[in-house]
Amino acid sequence: MAETYVTTAYERLQIANLRWRKRLQKWISRSREKVSFVLIPNDEKPFAQIEISVGMLGFLFGLSLSLVLLSFGLLLYFSFFFERNLSLEKKTETQLVSFLFYDLLSKDLRESVEELESMTESLNLLAWEEIPEKEMITQDYLLKEEFRKDASELDSNLLLFQQVVTTYTQFGVRLGNLVPNFQNAIDYLSMRESIFYSMPRGRPLKPGVGVVTSTFGYRSDPFGILPVGEYHSGIDFAAGEGTPIYATGPGIIAVDTAVGGLGKSVRINHENGFFTLYGHCSLILVNPGDRVKRGDKIALVGQTGKATGAHVHYEVRIGLDSPLDPEEYINLD
């Protein structure tokens, strides 16, 4: 009986390997074969010929088929299976409208800030005749947020949001810098206004009443006693006896008795060290400690003390300093 030969697993594996190698070599050789495409024009020009290997042709065919199948699959998905998130779309549209609204508001805010900066500069010029620390009322620093602000890229909500945040950040800084400068100027002008309204101003008699008979400074002695003259520390307003005398500024009554040659006199202490004297009165209408306002009636014109006729002697002083020329304060009105 003839013996049968049984192949081993290793031998079968080698045989299969040889077969696949032959098939692969056969496929590679076929893929290297050229396929020619000839383009024949209608006129008499020479035709064009394009050669491409079978393998490349198969690859391009497979790629095209894959793209067609992928496109068809996406079409089916978005046509029958895709569900739109309507709530998200609505929220996105709402945010977009909000950002656009705030973007418009930022433009109005820019104009307001620029106008406020101009007004603050004018206020500082009025207060100090210069603009102190002008750098403070400009945008001297920005917060650390740095966003792109390319206007051509504002199609997305994110970039629009970034621009709005940047704009409001900048204006927040500028407004923050304006506040102390504006407040300082207001405080300074308020202080100046307070000082101005607390100072003695105007005449001690009503407008048009009385005439100036003696001015401030050196003059000849009206009594003819001193040949070299004397220093007159105020201004004299001659008027009929009993003419009302009025306070030239708000203050507190300090003196209502005779002071030297002034006879019956009134002293009013004003703020900031100012005080005024009204001398030669015939009658005093206020008492020490009374608080008076500018324009209040305080006494009547007379000729008590060293006087040659009915008049009011008016002085302006600051503390213990020498008398001031009342004309400068009369002309403040």
Side-chain angles (χ1 to χ4, degrees):
M1 184 174 179
E3 294 182 359
T4 59
Y5 179 76
V6 179
T7 60
T8 64
Y10 176 74
E11 291 173 337
R12 288 196 298 270
L13 183 60
Q14 283 191 332
I15 292 172
N17 184 28
L18 290 173
R19 288 176 180 175
W20 280 107
R21 289 180 64 182
K22 283 184 178 182
R23 289 176 184 176
L24 181 60
Q25 290 175 357
K26 185 178 180 180
W27 184 85
I28 291 175
S29 62
R30 285 185 179 179
S31 65
R32 290 177 178 175
E33 294 178 358
K34 300 290 185 178
V35 177
S36 299
F37 295 91
V38 180
L39 302 178
I40 303 176
N42 292 329
D43 51 13
E44 297 180 355
K45 292 181 179 180
F47 61 86
Q49 182 176 353
I50 300 176
E51 291 186 355
I52 187 171
S53 65
V54 175
M56 179 59 68
L57 185 62
F59 172 75
L60 293 176
F61 176 77
L63 180 62
S64 301
L65 181 61
S66 300
L67 291 176
V68 171
L69 293 176
L70 179 61
S71 301
F72 184 70
L74 291 175
L75 180 61
L76 290 177
Y77 172 74
F78 284 107
S79 299
F80 300 101
F81 302 101
F82 177 74
E83 295 183 0
R84 297 170 57 188
N85 192 336
L86 298 179
S87 62
L88 180 60
E89 291 180 2
K90 184 176 181 180
K91 183 177 180 180
T92 302
E93 291 177 358
T94 303
Q95 289 179 348
L96 179 60
V97 172
S98 300
F99 294 153
L100 291 173
F101 173 72
Y102 283 111
D103 187 53
L104 292 175
L105 285 183
S106 67
K107 296 178 181 178
D108 294 336
L109 182 60
R110 177 183 294 106
E111 295 178 358
S112 299
V113 170
E114 291 175 353
E115 182 179 1
L116 183 58
E117 287 178 342
S118 177
M119 293 173 61
T120 303
E121 290 187 4
S122 300
L123 189 62
N124 280 273
L125 285 173
L126 178 63
W128 291 288
E129 298 182 355
E130 62 179 353
I131 304 177
E133 300 180 6
K134 184 174 181 180
E135 298 78 9
M136 291 184 63
I137 66 173
T138 60
Q139 184 180 346
D140 55 358
Y141 74 97
L142 289 177
L143 299 183
K144 296 304 181 182
E145 291 87 347
E146 295 181 358
F147 301 125
R148 289 183 300 162
K149 297 196 303 178
D150 187 356
S152 64
E153 297 181 358
L154 290 180
D155 296 333
S156 68
N157 291 359
L158 178 59
L159 292 177
L160 182 58
F161 169 74
Q162 291 172 349
Q163 182 183 17
V164 171
V165 170
T166 301
T167 301
Y168 275 86
T169 298
Q170 293 174 353
F171 289 142
V173 172
R174 293 169 70 177
L175 284 174
N177 290 334
L178 279 174
V179 169
N181 284 271
F182 190 84
Q183 190 61 49
N184 288 341
I186 288 294
D187 291 344
Y188 179 72
L189 290 177
S190 298
M191 181 183 66
R192 285 179 56 179
E193 182 182 32
S194 175
I195 293 174
F196 177 76
Y197 284 108
S198 66
M199 290 170 55
R201 295 175 291 121
R203 306 167 80 247
L205 304 179
K206 282 187 176 181
V209 176
V211 294
V212 176
T213 56
S214 182
T215 58
F216 176 81
Y218 285 97
R219 67 175 183 177
S220 59
D221 185 1
F223 295 95
I225 300 175
L226 302 174
V228 295
E230 65 175 358
Y231 182 79
H232 190 231
S233 58
I235 292 180
D236 291 343
F237 293 90
E241 188 159 347
T243 302
I245 301 172
Y246 300 94
T248 57
I252 298 176
I253 303 299
V255 176
D256 65 345
T257 57
V259 179
L262 294 180
K264 292 182 179 180
S265 62
V266 177
R267 169 173 167 165
I268 302 178
N269 291 334
H270 308 280
E271 293 182 4
N272 305 302
F274 282 96
F275 69 88
T276 50
L277 288 174
Y278 310 79
H280 307 301
C281 304
S282 62
L283 179 64
I284 296 176
L285 305 177
V286 290
N287 298 309
D290 289 348
R291 186 176 294 273
V292 296
K293 302 186 298 294
R294 180 171 182 258
D296 286 350
K297 187 188 298 185
I298 58 174
L300 302 178
V301 171
Q303 48 184 329
T304 59
K306 185 180 176 182
T308 58
H311 71 282
V312 57
H313 173 85
Y314 177 60
E315 288 188 21
V316 177
R317 294 174 179 256
I318 299 180
L320 299 177
D321 294 343
S322 300
L324 304 173
D325 188 351
E327 184 177 1
E328 297 180 5
Y329 298 88
I330 291 174
N331 292 333
L332 286 178
D333 272 354

